[in-house]
Every structure is written in structure tokens, then in C-alpha cells.
Amino acid sequence: MAKVQDIYGEMVFDEHTMQERLPSATYKQLMRTIKDGEPLNLEVANVVAHAMKEWAIEMGATHYTHWFQPLSGITSEKHDSFIDPIDDGHAIMSFSGKELIQGEPDASSFPSGGLRATFEARGYTAWDPTSFAFIKDEVLCIPTAFCSYNGEALDKKTPLLRSMRAVDEQANRVLALFGEPHQRVVTTVGAEQEYFLVSEKDYERRLDLVLTGRTLFGYSPCKGQELEDHYFGAIRPTVNNFMKELDEELWKLGIPAKTKHNEVAPCQHELAPLFANANRAIDQNLLTMEEMRLLASHYGLVCLEHEKPFEHINGSGKHNNWSMSANGKNLLEPGENPMSNLRFLVFLAGVIQAVDDYQELLRMSAASAGNDHRLGANEAPPAIVSMFLGDELGRVVDALIEGRDYTSHERTEMDLGVAELPNFLQDNTDRNRTSPFAFTGNKFEFRMPGSEQNLSDANMILNTAMAKSLKEFADQLEGVPEERFRDEALDYVKRTLRDHQRIIFNGDGYSDEWPEEAERRGLANNKTTADALPCLVDQKSLDLFAEFNVLDEAEVRSRYEVKLEKYNKTMNIEIRTMKRLVRRDYLPAINDFAAEIARHITEVRAVMPDADLVNQESKLKALLDGAAEINRHLGKLHELHYASLEIEDQQERANMNAHEIVPVMDALRDAVDNMEIIVERKHWPVPTYNEILFYA
Ligand code: ADP
Ligand code: MG
């Protein structure tokens, strides 16, 4: 492999390349746009476009694309070549400022949730200069926002950028009260991506994996994750080769892939990059997911990004590490003595207030058909949002609430009792893996989002809610005389912590007592996507988004529609796949095997009339009973499925899917799975968990 320093970022039109290739005045102007949010004019864009094109062609690119994130959450691209034929029959390569700034894809086939009627199919993409352009497979990809003819956001990026602007504004008001000069405040995100790798040949034989991304059937494997031998285990060679190529490709794209390891479940892995500005981090995460899918095929593997590809073992999440940074300085850094770090306390109280006040929205942001299988199943946080602060910060907050003084503990020196091993200082933050929103040293880790999700929604909500907390603080404290500022600010912090104490929970989030305790505290527990989505269009949410110009009412409603539809469509696909597989694969296999046994019984009887055939007979009975049970559940599923399709109202249909249909799907699955372990191997039509999860 080439030296990492040489390849890192080579496919990115980043600051370094810009400085090299742009006239100095243009470079400075562009930097003011990127760093300070100054508007950009066409003249500058023309110069940038030219330099970008020259660079891209040198790097082998022939096409360019406006790369965007429609409401489906994945990325979209339409490739246009640079060619521009001239009169003499030759062609030149051209790319103008206008083409850089604005594109016009036919938007009629992207979900819009009613924002755009098909007769107004025009949609526009607009260059986002804050996320660098890059080359992927000979195509210059320009990150863009996507909006309708009337300027309504039709994508995930626009509201995220709006929410970042809101945080920037409000955080600066707060920082000004602390006497700090205006600075660029951004939220930062580090997205830990979990995924599974399975062999292509098994995958191809599992229609459920191919069509739905998860196995709809499958008895638990004889060996699961109980030996805890996979987590951090030695990485098998094929997977290791995949990971190496993945790292290399990501580094070329300027994505700071940092950590890779085997995860808890067999075949499960994780990749964590170094954090970046939220907007860029999310673009990079989407690109990472795409590279994972693509590169797996080089090794005869398939990358599964679904939240729950397999029952009985852990599913995959995407931890959203989140913090705020002012000109590179982390605003959630507690320092040695958080109790006296007033600025930190103000921001901390702000996060606590934001998470408590908008807990339902945050939970909503992680809602999807796939993630419904994860949240609340003993592997991921429950569907209840709560916060974990750790011992040290927990004590600080308790002291503030109770109006006591508190001095931070000296950090304990750890002595391992072996002279040769170095002593080290114990960290003051410990870990609680069961908490959905945990403080981890100088950032929060939101653990609800699922592996397949676009993190824009979660961060857009987090940012907007945080902007609101900061605004309230600034509104109250601006105008307070300087000599009284610290006292009043501290009072404000204490009041806020007291008001939002209920959201802090340091216990075991997986325990049976927690949902009861949470209910006593008045915390929301929206267990399924159908239950979680409606809060998006509550007046409280509409007000929040409107107050910070992040989403207007029509934009919120369209997102709600799109999410509901996506849920219902996913359910419809899963139900159809389930029915098809049961009818065409599983029942025939069970019946074939039953017939074989019946023939066997008759044959033996013919030569030995009083033979003891209890084994065969009981097996035959079990098969016939099992098939009958499958048939019963299948009939019920079919009936409910058709009834659900009659329901026009998407929320009602979602309710039916979540509350009535899912239990029948579960029952049907169980009935089939129970047959898997008695039907002879050669009759079973698909690779089983034992085989898929433990490939060589
Ligand atoms: P763990 O698995 O123990 O939670 P990892 O080291 O795998 O931790 O991931 C932590 C993630 O948090 C990394 O992506 C890291 O870059 C990110 N991170 C660290 N500091 C910040 C910060 N200030 N803002 C956002 N993310 C951060
Ligand atoms: Mg983590």
C-alpha cells in the first residue's frame, strides 16, 4: 500500500488543494464562505468551478454530479459529463460556475411527502461549499442541498445546515456574555458505524436478506455471541483484507477512518472515524456506508447495514457522538474542576434541558422499521430517552441541585501491582452502555440511532433543541449587570438542572424496573415507529422548528408523511416476502419431508407390520402439526395484510402494522423456525444461521 500520508485526501478538493489551485483572492473569499458563512457570488464560483474541473480531469474524472440526500435518507447522484462538442467535431471539457452552484434534477421520483406535486416536478440542487467536493469512480461529486421549485427543503442536509446556523447564533450570544469574541460555533459528530459481513453465496440464497436486508426466518444458531469471543477478537483474513482496502479508499476520500474491530455478534464489525463538523461527518458517514457495500463485493462478501439482520444476536447501531466546538475549542470539556467551570455548566445544563424537553423528538429521529427490532431488546437502549452523566459529573450536578459545594476528586492513580507496568490516572468518566444518551468525557453519545440511518435528523433535532436552551439562557441573562452575571448564571443553571432532573438516570437501562420508574417520572416510552412518529407534528415541535427557521410547517408535515410511508412500505415488503417464502419454500419443504417420512413408515410396515415406528410417527405428527400452525398464522397474516392495505390513513396503517401485524409475523416466524430444527438438512431450502454466521 502507498504511504498513508501520500494518499490521504487525494480524491478531495479540500482546503489544501484549493489553496494550491485557486488565485489567492478567490481562495480567501471562498474560505470566508466556508468558515464564516459569507454569501458566495457567481464570479468566485466561476473561478472555483474552473479549478475544480482542471483538478478533477487530472485525477481521471470524466463526469460530475450534484450529490444530495433526498428524504429517503440515502444519497442520490445523476452523472453529467464535462464534454462540450465544438464545431470542428472535437470536444472540450467544460464546467461553469453556474453548473457548480446549481443543478436541476427531475425531482418527481423522490419522496416529497406532498411538498411537490408531480406537475411541478422541478427540484434544485445547490452547492454546499462547507462539505468538500470529491472524486468517486471517475465522477466529481459535489455535495449539495436539494429543494423544491418554491424553495422548500426536499432533503436531509438543508435543515441540518439551518440547525447548525441556529446553534452558531445562539451559542455566540451565550459566549458573548462570558466576554468571548464572536467565533464560529459548530456541532461536531463522530459516527460509529456497525455492520455485518456475510458471504455472497449464502446471501444470494436468502431472498429475505436480498429483499429486506434482514432474515425474516432463522432458528437461533447453536453458538451465538455467548462466549464473547468475537468482540475485539482477531480479525479473520478475508475481513481484514476488506478492512484494509476500505481504510485506504476512505483515506483517499479524506475520511479519517480511525478504529476498526470485531463487534459483539459473530460476523459483526465496527468502523469509527475521527469526528468532524456535523455536516461533513454525515456526508462522510454516507460515503463510508456506500464504500462498505461496494468493497465487500471484492471479497465475495456482502455488507449488511440493516439494524437487525439476525434475530437472537445483537443488531447494529450507529452511535452519534456529539459535541459543540467554538473555533476548535470543545464547549463540553469539563476541565479539571467542572464545578467552577461556569461556561461548561451552562452548556451542560443546556443539553440536559434540550434532551428532556425534546426527548420524544429525539426518540422519533431514531425510529424506523429496522430499528424497532433493536431499541428495547437487551442490546440497545430502550425506547425511553434518559441521560447518563457518570459518577463525577453526576455528583457535580447533585451538588448543584441540592445547593451544596463540591470539590472534584483528584484523579486516582491506578497501580496494577506489577512494577514493570506503568501506573496511570483513572478517568473521571465511566461508562454505562445501557444509556441512550451518555456523557463520555467531553461529548455526549446518542446511542439510539440505527446502523442504516442518516444521522441528519437526529443532529438537526439535537442542534435545534440546543439552540432553544441557549436562547433561553441568553434572553434571561443579557442585560444583567456584569457583577451579578456569575451569580445569576449559576442560579439559572441550578434551576434548569432541578427542572430537568428526571431525565438523568444512572442505573441499568436494560432492567425491567426502569420502564416503570420512567413512567413514574413522566418520561415518554414510544416503543414502535408508529408510536414515535406523531410527535413530529405536535404543536410543540412545529413551534420549535419554526422559531429557529429550521423547518416550516409544510416541511415538517412532509417529513412526517415520508417517514410514515417509508415505514408502511417497508412493512409491506417484509410481509409480502414472508408470505411468498412460506408458501413457495418453507411449506413445500416441510411437506416434502413429511411425505418422505410417511413413505418410509409405509415401506417399513410392509416388511415388518409390528415394527416400532414411534420415532417416525411422532416426527410426522410434529411436521403436520407445525405445517398446520404455519398455515394458520399465514392465513391470519394474509387477512390482516389485505385489511391494512385498505386503510388510507398512513398513521392508522402504521398503527395496524406495528400493533397487530408484527405479532402475527413473529408468530409465523416462530412456527417456521421450529420446523427448521426438525426438518432434515437436505430438505431445508435456505442456509441457516449456523452456516451464515460462521463462514470460513
Ligand atoms: P466508544 O466505542 O468507546 O464509544 P470510539 O472511540 O469507538 O468510542 O468512538 C468515539 C467517537 O467519538 C469517535 O468517532 C470520536 O472521533 C468521536 N468524538 C471524540 N470527540 C468528539 C467530539 N468532541 N465531538 C464529536 N465526536 C467526538
Ligand atoms: Mg460508542
Side-chain angles (χ1 to χ4, degrees):
M1 191 180 97
K3 271 233 229 55
V4 179
Q5 304 93 292
D6 295 340
I7 58 164
Y8 193 85
E10 74 176 11
M11 292 305 197
V12 190
F13 197 70
D14 55 16
E15 248 182 86
H16 181 79
T17 316
M18 289 180 200
Q19 190 166 23
E20 235 172 44
R21 298 202 165 235
L22 293 174
S24 143
T26 313
Y27 172 74
K28 284 189 188 132
Q29 188 55 50
L30 185 57
M31 282 302 130
R32 278 199 287 277
T33 300
I34 294 176
K35 298 207 164 131
D36 310 323
E38 267 188 28
L40 189 121
N41 64 38
L42 191 59
E43 241 167 276
V44 174
N46 272 325
V47 180
V48 178
H50 179 76
M52 220 185 237
K53 178 201 71 183
E54 294 292 304
W55 167 79
I57 289 171
E58 274 171 43
M59 300 298 292
T62 53
H63 289 69
Y64 70 93
T65 183
H66 277 196
W67 190 72
F68 61 102
Q69 303 162 31
L71 294 179
S72 56
I74 48 179
T75 57
S76 296
E77 49 193 76
K78 173 190 76 171
H79 302 170
D80 280 302
S81 73
F82 291 119
I83 61 161
D84 191 0
I86 47 176
D87 288 345
D88 68 357
H90 281 237
I92 55 167
M93 302 293 257
S94 80
F95 183 52
S96 68
K98 189 165 171 294
E99 286 168 311
L100 168 63
I101 290 186
Q102 185 189 324
E104 196 189 328
D106 174 2
S108 55
S109 293
F110 294 109
S112 82
L115 265 188
R116 175 196 17 74
T118 349
F119 61 86
E120 284 174 352
R122 291 165 73 146
Y124 294 101
T125 48
W127 180 31
D128 166 20
T130 60
S131 185
F132 300 133
F134 57 90
I135 296 171
K136 175 173 67 87
D137 206 10
E138 295 170 11
V139 179
L140 169 67
C141 300
I142 300 153
T144 53
F146 178 45
C147 67
S148 75
Y149 186 62
N150 298 318
E152 288 132 334
L154 287 176
D155 68 345
K156 301 270 180 188
K157 184 191 268 279
T158 308
L160 175 74
L161 288 172
R162 292 176 185 159
S163 75
M164 291 185 69
R165 195 202 46 216
V167 167
D168 182 28
E169 252 170 54
Q170 302 305 328
N172 266 298
R173 288 178 65 197
V174 173
L175 293 174
L177 290 168
F178 283 91
E180 298 195 23
H182 188 92
Q183 43 205 314
R184 178 79 160 169
V185 176
V186 297
T187 53
T188 49
V189 166
E192 297 165 53
Q193 179 70 45
E194 292 181 338
Y195 60 96
F196 279 82
L197 290 174
V198 299
S199 95
E200 225 160 40
K201 65 177 199 330
D202 289 337
Y203 175 83
E204 279 160 6
R205 294 182 53 210
R206 292 287 314 218
L207 191 68
D208 46 2
L209 272 182
V210 174
L211 294 183
T212 72
R214 75 180 182 105
T215 51
L216 299 171
F217 300 94
Y219 198 85
S220 83
C222 304
K223 176 185 173 194
Q225 60 194 44
E226 63 274 48
L227 291 178
E228 296 167 344
D229 50 354
H230 195 254
Y231 191 58
F232 282 19
I235 300 170
R236 67 181 110 192
T238 330
V239 170
N240 206 25
N241 288 337
F242 159 81
M243 286 179 169
K244 279 193 219 165
E245 187 178 351
L246 178 62
D247 275 343
E248 193 172 327
E249 289 306 310
L250 295 180
W251 290 335
K252 284 185 196 163
L253 288 165
I255 299 174
K258 172 89 176 157
T259 310
K260 53 184 178 183
H261 60 81
N262 283 351
E263 257 300 329
V264 170
C267 290
Q268 193 185 26
H269 314 279
E270 178 182 305
L271 181 142
L274 278 177
F275 69 95
N277 153 339
N279 175 38
R280 213 175 290 162
I282 290 169
D283 282 356
Q284 292 185 339
N285 174 252
L286 293 167
L287 205 47
T288 301
M289 290 172 73
E290 187 181 325
E291 290 292 330
M292 282 175 168
R293 291 192 299 270
L294 176 77
L295 296 179
S297 68
H298 295 183
Y299 301 89
L301 299 170
V302 175
C303 177
L304 305 177
E305 289 168 351
H306 192 281
E307 280 82 13
K308 191 75 179 173
F310 304 98
E311 252 350 280
H312 314 293
I313 56 171
N314 278 10
S316 299
K318 177 147 55 199
H319 293 172
N320 185 80
N321 294 276
W322 177 92
S323 189
M324 292 175 68
S325 152
N327 281 0
K329 171 178 75 221
N330 187 344
L331 294 171
L332 290 175
E333 175 61 59
E336 283 298 312
N337 194 354
M339 191 74 176
S340 60
N341 187 348
L342 186 57
R343 193 190 67 194
F344 166 73
L345 292 177
V346 169
F347 280 90
L348 175 71
V351 184
I352 293 173
Q353 177 184 354
V355 174
D356 185 27
D357 278 344
Y358 295 100
Q359 46 177 291
E360 283 193 88
L361 271 183
L362 282 169
R363 191 278 175 248
M364 186 287 305
S365 75
S368 70
N371 221 14
D372 277 3
H373 301 283
R374 230 184 114 245
L375 296 180
N378 278 337
E379 55 171 67
I384 308 160
V385 174
S386 67
M387 297 174 84
F388 172 78
L389 298 177
D391 281 352
E392 174 69 8
L393 207 53
R395 281 194 286 261
V396 171
V397 166
D398 286 347
L400 286 167
I401 289 173
E402 291 157 21
R404 282 184 287 110
D405 226 9
Y406 176 77
T407 346
S408 285
H409 286 243
E410 290 284 303
R411 292 206 302 168
T412 331
E413 182 157 323
M414 305 260 279
D415 179 358
L416 297 177
V418 180
E420 293 87 332
L421 296 178
N423 290 352
F424 52 85
L425 290 178
Q426 186 184 36
D427 237 335
N428 274 341
T429 57
D430 43 10
R431 304 232 152 192
N432 178 337
R433 292 277 163 194
T434 68
S435 174
F437 209 100
F439 187 73
T440 49
N442 57 9
K443 62 183 189 295
F444 278 96
E445 186 171 351
F446 182 34
R447 302 201 180 108
M448 276 185 168
S451 49
E452 203 161 46
Q453 294 175 328
N454 180 319
L455 289 178
S456 297
D457 289 353
N459 286 287
M460 179 266 287
I461 288 163
L462 205 46
N463 295 346
T464 314
M466 187 63 188
K468 184 162 174 73
S469 301
L470 297 172
K471 178 167 187 263
E472 258 177 53
F473 177 84
D475 284 348
Q476 289 216 11
L477 275 287
E478 277 170 358
V480 169
E482 220 181 296
E483 67 277 8
R484 291 220 323 268
F485 172 72
R486 291 194 73 83
D487 286 346
E488 295 212 8
L490 191 60
D491 278 347
Y492 183 96
V493 167
K494 289 179 183 168
R495 231 172 21 247
T496 308
L497 294 176
R498 233 171 265 138
D499 291 348
H500 297 284
Q501 203 174 357
R502 64 170 185 168
I503 197 75
I504 298 170
F505 175 63
N506 291 323
D508 178 1
Y510 296 174
S511 71
D512 293 336
E513 297 81 52
W514 172 228
E516 292 164 24
E517 162 72 16
E519 196 179 335
R520 279 194 294 278
R521 294 185 184 197
L523 299 178
N525 185 1
N526 296 323
K527 292 199 179 86
T528 71
T529 300
D531 308 314
L533 292 183
C535 82
L536 183 54
V537 287
D538 282 353
Q539 196 54 47
K540 184 177 165 189
S541 311
L542 296 175
D543 290 346
L544 174 74
F545 295 128
E547 183 174 354
F548 295 93
N549 297 314
V550 169
L551 290 169
D552 65 23
E553 182 166 343
E555 289 171 325
V556 179
R557 290 197 182 279
S558 72
R559 276 158 182 76
Y560 171 60
E561 284 302 316
V562 170
K563 280 174 189 288
L564 273 177
E565 275 185 16
K566 183 165 178 199
Y567 174 74
N568 287 330
K569 285 176 180 165
T570 306
M571 292 305 300
N572 185 43
I573 294 170
E574 290 195 355
I575 297 165
R576 294 186 68 201
T577 309
M578 224 172 179
K579 287 177 6 187
R580 195 73 53 92
L581 286 172
V582 170
R583 287 183 185 135
R584 303 198 45 190
D585 290 341
Y586 293 117
L587 276 178
I590 297 161
N591 291 336
D592 278 355
F593 184 49
E596 189 177 304
I597 294 185
R599 272 195 306 276
H600 189 216
I601 293 173
T602 333
E603 280 165 20
V604 176
R605 273 265 139 79
V607 285
M608 197 187 279
D610 50 358
D612 181 356
L613 288 168
V614 66
N615 166 31
Q616 285 92 329
E617 280 168 356
S618 65
K619 185 157 242 185
L620 180 58
K621 173 139 186 6
L623 289 167
L624 296 176
D625 288 351
E629 197 191 336
I630 291 172
N631 214 45
R632 234 183 358 262
H633 296 308
L634 178 65
K636 183 77 193 159
L637 180 63
H638 182 69
E639 190 187 303
L640 291 176
H641 180 214
Y642 271 69
S644 78
L645 296 179
E646 295 289 311
I647 304 177
E648 291 284 329
D649 184 275
Q650 293 288 325
Q651 178 66 55
E652 272 177 44
R653 191 188 290 191
N655 293 346
M656 180 166 186
N657 274 321
H659 303 136
E660 290 176 59
I661 295 188
V662 166
V664 180
M665 290 169 78
D666 289 345
L668 176 57
R669 176 191 179 126
D670 280 347
V672 172
D673 290 355
N674 286 334
M675 293 297 100
E676 181 192 310
I677 47 166
I678 59 169
V679 170
E680 194 181 341
R681 181 70 198 94
K682 69 169 198 254
H683 283 276
W684 202 247
V686 296
T688 65
Y689 277 21
N690 282 326
E691 292 143 2
I692 303 176
L693 294 172
F694 296 93
Y695 62 91

